[in-house]
Amino acid sequence: MPDLVPAPLSSLLKRAYHEPKIQQTIYDLPLKEMYRGSSNVDLSTSFHGLPSGTPLGPAAGPQDQLAQNIVLAWLGGSRIIELKTVQILDELVINRPCIDATNIGFNIEWSQELKLHETVEEYVKASMIIDILREENAPGVPDPVALPTDFYATIFDLSVGYDLKGIESESVTQFMQQMKHAGHLVDQLRTQIPDEYARYRDYPFRTELVRTATLSTFHGCPKDEIERICRYLLAEMGLHTIIKLNPVQIGKEKLEHILYDRLGYTHLKVNQKAYDTGLSLQEALELVERLEPIAKQHRLNIGVKFSNTLEVYNNLGRLPDEVMYLSGQPLHVIAVALLAEWRKAAGMRYPISFAAGIDRRNVANAVALGLTPITVCTDLLRPKGYGRMEGYFKDLETSMRKVGARTLKEYILKARGQGEPVGGDLEQAMLRNSAIIAEETVSDQRYSWAQNRKEPRKINSHLFVFDCLSCDKCVPVCPNDANFVFEVEPARFKYRDYRLTRGALLPDEVHWFSIEQAHQLANFADFCNECGNCDTFCPEYGGPFIEKPGFFGSRASYAGRPTHDGFYVERADGIERIVGRIKGQGYGLEILRADDSALFNDGVIELNIRPSTGELLSWKALDPALARVDPAREPFGHAPDHVVSMVNYYRLEALLRGALDMKKVHYVNAQYLSL
C-alpha cells in the first residue's frame, strides 16, 4: 500500500494561481464546471445554527483527505465538508484496489490514510486555500454582489471514530484541539505562501476550523461505547455531534425485502455480523434521547446521520477483502426508507444529515426532506468527478423555480404541496415529504439491479507509457487529482542500441521510437493510493496508475518507494534532470540546454549525447572494470556483454521535456512557475 505524500502549500497555491490562466482549470476542474450560484434562488442553509452557502458536501471518504480534494469539492459548490474520518490508528494497511464504482459502489476503505499530524495540516491548508480563492473570486462569479449573503459560508465537519479509548487518546484529543484552535499551524504555513499571493501572508485566516463532529460508528462499533463517545464529544470537546447510523437499523426483514424483492440485488449477501452487532432503531432513538439533555446543557445539538455503508460479503472478486461496504444506488433506497422509519418514531426532534447514493436526479428530493448536510461520495467517483456537482445545483435550481421557491425553506413547503395543508409548518411538511418520497424511492426502478448492472465499456487495447485513446476519463475520476495531462513533441524515428563488448561500445540493433500524440497522460505518484478507480473507467486495459508514467514530487518520496517504477524531475543551475525506475531498473538523464549536451546512464554505462541530433559524443563505464579486457575474467577475455537499451533514453528525454513544459500546469512543474 503506497503512502500518500501531501504537496506543499506553496505548490498548491502556485497551481491555483497559474493554472486558470493557462488552461482554464484549477486542480484539473474546468472553470466552467465550478459552481457560481444564482441571483434567482438562495441555496444557503444552516447546520447546527452555523451558516452554509449550500446544503451539499462530500461524505467522509476519498474526496476529502488531501487539501486539493477538499478545495475541489468546494469549487464544485460544496459548503459543508465532512472531513475524512480520523482515528488513533494512523498507519493503516488497506488492501488494493479499495474502491469499486463499476456500476453501484463498493469499498474496503476505513479512515484517513495520513498520519494525524499530516491530516491536521492538510485540513488547515485546505481552509487557507479556500479563504484565498474566495477572496480572489476564483470560481469566476459574474456578479458576486448579487449572490446570497452566505454564498461562500463554509463549514468543516470533523469525522471521528471508532472507539472511546482511541478518541480519548492524547493523539486524537490533540488533533481535535488543533482543529478547534489552528492559529499556530496557520502562522507556520504563512511562510509557504508564494509571491503570487504575497498579499495574503498577513491575511486573517480562519483558525477555528471545526465546531461540529460526526461520529462514525462504523461496523461493529461497541454499542455501549457510542453513548460515552458522544458524551465526550459534547461535554469535553464542545462539539455539536451527529451519530452516523448503520442501514441494518431498519431491520433484517425490511432491509432484505428492499434489497432483494424490490430492487433485485439477489447476488449480494449481507454480513450477518452487521445485524448482530449494530444498534436497533429503537436503541438508537433511546441513545439520542439520553444524550439530548447533555447537549442542551452545553448549548449544543445532537443528531443522526443516515447512513453508513452496508456490510456485504465479497462475491464479485474485484476487491481483495472477504467483506466489502455497499454504497450508491441500492443504499440510497434503504437509507431513505430508514429515514422515514426514524421520523415515524422520533418525529422532527433531531437534525438529520444524509449520505447514501446522492446524485443529480435525487438531490432535490433530499432537500425536500430537509436534510443538512446532503453528502455525496460514490457519484463523484464517476466521469466528470467533482464537476458532476454543477449538475446537482442546476437540477435543484430548476426544481425550485418550477414550484416558485426562492429559498430552501420555501422549496420544502412547496416541493410536494405539503406546506399549505399544515399551515406553513416547516417540520410537518418535512415529515409528510418523508413518507411520500420514501415510497416513491422504493418503487423507482432506476435504483434496481436491472438498471444498474451495466459496466463501463472496455476495448481490446492495452495502455502503454505513451499514447492512448486520450479520453482523459482517468483525470476527473481520481478523487485525489493524481492523474494529469502533459504535452510532448510527437516523433517517429529509427535509433540503435549500443552493446558493450570486449571493452568497446559498438552500435547494436535498429529499432523504431514513436510518440504519435502531443496529448499525454501521467500519474502524480505522491497522490496515488492505487484505489483502482481510474482503471474502472479507462476504456483500455492495464490501469493508468500502473502503465502511465508516475512522477514523484520530491527525491525523498521517489527514494521512499524503491520498488515502484516512476520518475523524479528537477531543474536547477541550468540543468534539467530526471531519475527513474523502469521495470525495476534505475536510469538517469541530465540535459544542459545551453550546451546541447546530455548525460544518460542505465546504472552500468554513462553516455554523453547531443540531444538535438542523437549523436554519441563519448561514454564511460560506471564500473571501470567493465571497460577493460581481463583474460582471467572470461574464457574469451572480456566481461559479459551489456546492451544499452536506448528506448529508455528517448523515454526519459520525452518525459523530462514534457513534464517541464508549461503548456499544461500540474504538480510536477508547478514549483517552477513564476509571476
Side-chain angles (χ1 to χ4, degrees):
M1 169 181 163
D3 290 332
L4 294 174
V5 181
L9 178 61
S10 57
S11 179
L12 292 167
L13 284 173
K14 276 180 170 286
R15 270 201 73 173
Y17 182 88
H18 292 280
E19 191 178 337
K21 298 176 176 63
I22 295 174
Q23 61 218 58
Q24 291 74 57
T25 61
I26 298 179
Y27 306 149
D28 296 308
L29 178 66
L31 299 180
K32 64 183 180 180
E33 294 178 4
M34 296 176 189
Y35 180 58
R36 296 185 171 92
S38 170
S39 58
N40 299 320
V41 296
D42 182 354
L43 301 187
S44 64
T45 185
S46 65
F47 181 45
H48 300 306
L50 305 172
S52 170
T54 73
L56 190 71
Q63 285 91 10
D64 45 19
Q65 64 176 341
L66 291 173
Q68 74 273 9
N69 304 31
I70 296 167
V71 176
L72 280 163
W74 182 83
L75 289 169
S78 295
R79 294 295 184 266
I80 305 177
I81 314 289
E82 187 183 88
L83 302 167
K84 191 161 188 182
T85 307
V86 296
Q87 61 160 322
I88 190 171
L89 299 176
D90 62 358
E91 295 188 37
L92 294 173
V93 177
I94 300 170
N95 290 328
R96 303 296 177 186
C98 58
I99 293 174
D100 176 14
T102 302
N103 38 37
I104 45 177
F106 301 98
N107 74 83
I108 55 172
E109 286 191 317
W110 281 35
S111 55
Q112 177 61 278
E113 295 171 53
L114 299 172
K115 293 180 173 60
L116 285 168
H117 72 274
E118 295 173 314
T119 298
V120 69
E121 187 167 310
E122 283 303 281
Y123 294 165
V124 173
K125 282 156 55 178
S127 179
M128 293 174 70
I129 295 169
I130 288 171
D131 281 349
I132 291 173
L133 296 185
R134 180 193 65 233
E135 292 293 322
E136 294 288 308
N137 187 21
V141 175
D143 185 7
V145 178
L147 291 176
T149 304
D150 291 328
F151 174 74
Y152 281 122
T154 303
I155 297 168
F156 278 13
D157 181 41
L158 198 62
S159 180
V160 295
Y162 296 103
D163 60 22
L164 181 63
K165 183 179 179 182
I167 291 174
E168 285 185 330
S169 68
E170 181 180 353
S171 58
V172 176
T173 297
Q174 183 183 31
F175 167 83
M176 290 190 284
Q177 292 289 6
Q178 286 181 305
M179 291 293 290
K180 291 178 64 181
H181 309 287
H184 179 64
L185 265 175
V186 167
D187 288 340
Q188 285 183 338
L189 289 166
R190 290 180 191 275
T191 61
Q192 291 188 25
I193 297 175
D195 290 343
E196 287 86 342
Y197 288 117
R199 59 194 174 279
Y200 290 99
R201 287 172 183 157
D202 296 318
Y203 182 84
F205 292 105
R206 181 169 63 161
T207 58
E208 186 183 19
L209 265 62
V210 299
R211 295 173 64 186
T212 71
T214 295
L215 170 63
S216 179
T217 59
F218 203 56
H219 304 279
C221 182
K223 294 180 183 181
D224 61 339
E225 290 198 5
I226 295 173
E227 183 172 346
R228 287 185 286 162
I229 294 171
C230 291
R231 288 176 181 271
Y232 181 75
L233 294 174
L234 291 164
E236 301 298 325
M237 289 292 105
L239 297 169
H240 298 284
T241 300
I242 294 288
I243 309 169
K244 187 189 293 186
L245 300 176
N246 293 320
V248 294
Q249 287 172 334
I250 198 172
K252 182 174 182 177
E253 183 178 349
K254 289 181 180 178
L255 188 152
E256 296 188 0
H257 171 69
I258 293 171
L259 188 64
Y260 303 144
D261 302 333
R262 301 298 292 268
L263 300 179
Y265 291 91
T266 55
H267 60 291
L268 300 178
K269 183 180 179 182
V270 180
N271 187 0
Q272 181 61 39
K273 184 181 177 182
Y275 295 118
D276 296 339
T277 59
L279 287 170
S280 69
L281 189 64
Q282 185 60 36
E283 287 174 327
L285 178 55
E286 291 171 357
L287 184 155
V288 176
E289 288 174 338
R290 290 193 299 272
L291 291 168
E292 187 175 11
I294 300 165
K296 287 183 176 179
Q297 178 186 343
H298 292 86
R299 298 182 180 180
L300 298 168
N301 289 337
I302 185 73
V304 295
K305 179 168 188 174
F306 300 108
S307 79
N308 214 327
T309 48
L310 177 63
E311 192 172 358
V312 298
Y313 290 108
N314 181 4
N315 60 358
L316 303 180
R318 293 194 290 258
L319 297 178
D321 286 5
E322 180 182 347
V323 171
M324 56 188 182
Y325 307 110
L326 170 69
S327 61
Q329 298 90 310
L331 186 65
H332 181 79
V333 182
I334 295 167
V336 170
L338 177 56
L339 164 70
E341 292 290 325
W342 172 271
R343 283 184 167 167
K344 281 182 189 177
M348 304 301 299
R349 290 166 55 190
Y350 306 107
I352 298 176
S353 62
F354 191 87
I358 288 294
D359 60 26
R360 179 173 185 164
R361 293 172 61 184
N362 59 34
V363 70
N365 275 350
V367 169
L369 290 167
L371 306 173
T372 305
I374 300 161
T375 63
V376 58
C377 176
T378 302
D379 195 54
L380 300 185
L381 294 168
R382 296 175 176 134
K384 286 189 71 174
Y386 296 93
R388 297 174 76 88
M389 287 188 285
E390 180 206 22
Y392 298 3
F393 294 115
K394 283 183 177 178
D395 280 20
L396 174 57
E397 290 172 2
T398 298
S399 297
M400 292 173 69
R401 293 188 186 101
K402 281 182 179 179
V403 297
R406 188 180 181 277
T407 67
L408 297 187
K409 290 182 179 178
E410 290 177 3
Y411 183 66
I412 292 168
L413 293 169
K414 295 180 178 181
R416 297 309 176 105
Q418 299 303 305
E420 189 172 338
V422 295
D425 186 312
L426 192 67
E427 290 189 351
Q428 287 302 307
M430 291 181 193
L431 190 59
R432 288 177 170 231
N433 288 349
S434 299
I436 295 169
I437 292 172
E439 181 52 39
E440 284 182 359
T441 304
V442 171
S443 302
D444 191 339
Q445 284 303 296
R446 88 174 185 91
Y447 297 106
S448 69
W449 176 236
Q451 295 295 315
N452 290 290
R453 63 191 309 160
K454 186 177 179 181
E455 299 183 2
R457 178 173 169 262
K458 292 279 189 184
I459 64 171
N460 188 23
S461 176
H462 197 284
L463 293 174
F464 294 97
V465 174
F466 295 108
D467 299 329
C468 60
L469 290 181
S470 298
C471 64
D472 293 358
K473 287 183 179 179
C474 61
V475 176
V477 301
C478 175
N480 293 342
D481 188 37
N483 297 321
F484 65 93
V485 171
F486 69 106
E487 292 195 3
V488 299
E489 290 292 330
R492 181 171 174 80
F493 55 83
K494 290 181 180 179
Y495 70 90
R496 283 185 179 273
D497 291 337
Y498 292 98
R499 181 180 293 271
L500 177 63
T501 181
R502 296 177 180 269
L505 190 70
L506 304 174
D508 202 57
E509 294 184 13
V510 175
H511 304 277
W512 280 94
F513 183 81
S514 176
I515 299 177
E516 296 180 0
Q517 305 166 15
H519 184 99
Q520 300 292 331
L521 288 148
N523 175 271
F524 192 66
D526 287 358
F527 294 166
C528 180
N529 61 357
E530 299 181 358
C531 73
N533 199 49
C534 61
D535 187 24
T536 295
F537 293 100
C538 178
E540 299 183 78
Y541 291 98
F545 73 98
I546 297 172
E547 299 295 344
K548 289 301 174 182
F551 289 91
F552 292 88
S554 68
R555 278 191 176 270
S557 60
Y558 172 77
R561 291 175 65 184
T563 61
H564 189 282
D565 281 4
F567 307 91
Y568 170 65
V569 168
E570 63 182 2
R571 175 189 286 155
D573 303 323
I575 298 175
E576 296 174 353
R577 298 182 181 88
I578 181 171
V579 294
R581 286 182 292 269
I582 301 172
K583 295 183 179 179
Q585 174 64 45
Y587 297 90
L589 175 64
E590 292 186 358
I591 296 180
L592 184 62
R593 301 292 181 196
D595 291 348
D596 189 24
S597 65
L599 294 176
F600 167 69
N601 82 79
D602 64 357
V604 177
I605 293 176
E606 180 180 86
L607 307 183
N608 185 357
I609 297 170
R610 193 179 304 283
S612 60
T613 63
E615 177 189 0
L616 177 63
L617 302 175
S618 62
W619 70 276
K620 68 177 181 179
L622 298 180
D623 178 358
L626 294 175
R628 296 196 301 267
V629 175
D630 183 358
R633 187 166 179 142
E634 290 285 334
F636 298 102
H638 63 88
D641 286 1
H642 173 75
V643 175
V644 182
S645 182
M646 290 300 291
V647 67
N648 294 315
Y649 163 75
Y650 292 111
R651 283 176 179 165
L652 262 61
E653 184 186 23
L655 291 173
L656 180 60
R657 290 178 184 271
L660 293 177
D661 184 271
M662 297 302 176
K663 293 188 184 73
K664 298 290 184 182
V665 178
H666 42 76
Y667 293 107
V668 180
N669 62 15
Q671 60 184 308
Y672 302 111
L673 295 166
S674 60
L675 290 169

